[in-house]
Amino acid sequence: MEKPTLLMLHGALGSPDTLQPLAERLAAQFTIKTFAFAGHGGREVNTETVSLPHFAEEVRAFLAEYETAPAHVFGYSMGGYAALLAASWEAGLFASITTLGTKLDWSPESAAAEIRLLDPEKMLAKVPAFVEVLRQRHAPADWTALVHAVAALMTAAGDAPPLAAADFSGLHVPVQVLIGDGDLTANRGNASKVLAEHLPQAHYAVLANTPHPIEKVDIADLAARIRDFALSYS
């Protein structure tokens, strides 16, 4: 029997490589597919293509071109938002969506809180090891250009959130929303939970002892949650 497809989408400043440990745990049950979003993983950085609507269109186009049946999707952080936005346009491409650490509540204030962290000079001073990871992950593109482009993406999302409560209410795709209890990006206040409750077929769960970076998530537990949820809709 042919395995169902699981498209895995990375987060901002990430790449498909960041999802490899998770992909390895799910390869027995799914045909794993992935791609790098515009501006990431060595792709050219362009502020017009580093945007949530463009990323969502990349997801929609990928599924439309390569899949003959609705596919399961896992999106980490920004990748989860791109999946939800794409599903709001063409729900028939999706069998299920699981998001982890996806910020659902965009506003000028919440965007500003994230953008403060996206200053290349401060990053070089405070987290030089992470900067070197970014440099290698996105070569030959300029990592500083990508940081600035992601900051612009967040500003645009804050000023005009691509998804409103009404869009969540009209999204008739099974969605599993996972957020870590220590996630200071996606779990500020209660706004993401409130928006998730608008989803007609939603399962919401808070993961214990879990911060935002996917490298610090319990991968075995996450893989089991993705597998069980997706297979229940296969």
Side-chain angles (χ1 to χ4, degrees):
M1 182 177 177
E2 188 175 350
K3 293 185 290 187
T5 292
L6 176 63
L7 173 63
M8 303 184 70
L9 304 171
H10 65 79
L13 302 181
S15 73
D17 288 348
T18 60
L19 301 174
Q20 189 58 31
L22 181 61
E24 291 173 357
R25 289 183 174 269
L26 292 164
Q29 293 83 23
F30 301 95
T31 297
I32 305 295
K33 298 186 180 181
T34 189
F35 65 86
F37 283 116
H40 293 73
R43 295 183 63 188
E44 179 184 359
V45 179
N46 182 320
T47 54
E48 293 185 5
T49 57
V50 179
S51 72
L52 288 172
H54 185 83
F55 292 160
E57 173 54 25
E58 289 189 309
V59 175
R60 189 209 63 76
F62 184 95
L63 294 177
E65 180 174 357
Y66 295 110
E67 299 303 316
T68 57
H72 300 286
V73 176
F74 166 73
Y76 166 64
S77 194
M78 175 197 71
Y81 200 100
L84 293 173
L85 183 55
S88 74
W89 298 340
E90 197 165 346
L93 296 173
F94 297 81
S96 76
I97 298 172
T98 293
T99 69
L100 170 68
T102 294
K103 183 177 180 57
L104 302 180
D105 60 314
W106 285 100
S107 67
E109 295 75 21
S110 65
E114 301 306 318
I115 292 167
R116 280 198 294 269
L117 304 174
L118 295 175
D119 182 319
E121 289 188 9
K122 291 180 180 178
M123 293 168 70
L124 275 167
K126 295 183 177 181
V127 286
F130 178 58
V131 165
E132 185 55 32
V133 168
L134 292 182
R135 194 191 310 275
Q136 295 182 26
R137 179 182 293 165
H138 303 296
D142 178 4
W143 71 273
T144 65
L146 179 58
V147 169
H148 288 306
V150 168
L153 173 156
M154 291 181 175
T155 297
D159 290 343
L163 287 169
D167 298 309
F168 287 102
S169 298
L171 187 54
H172 293 281
V173 174
V175 178
Q176 178 176 216
V177 177
L178 304 176
I179 293 182
D181 60 355
D183 189 335
L184 300 180
T185 297
N187 202 22
R188 293 179 187 271
N190 208 34
S192 287
K193 183 176 188 296
V194 170
L195 283 171
E197 288 173 346
H198 285 276
L199 292 162
Q201 302 178 65
H203 173 73
Y204 180 89
V206 176
L207 308 186
N209 305 312
T210 302
H212 185 72
I214 195 167
E215 294 83 0
K216 298 183 178 181
V217 172
D218 183 335
I219 293 298
D221 175 63
L222 176 59
R225 290 174 183 270
I226 296 170
R227 180 185 63 242
D228 293 349
F229 185 75
L231 292 181
S232 69
Y233 292 98
S234 292

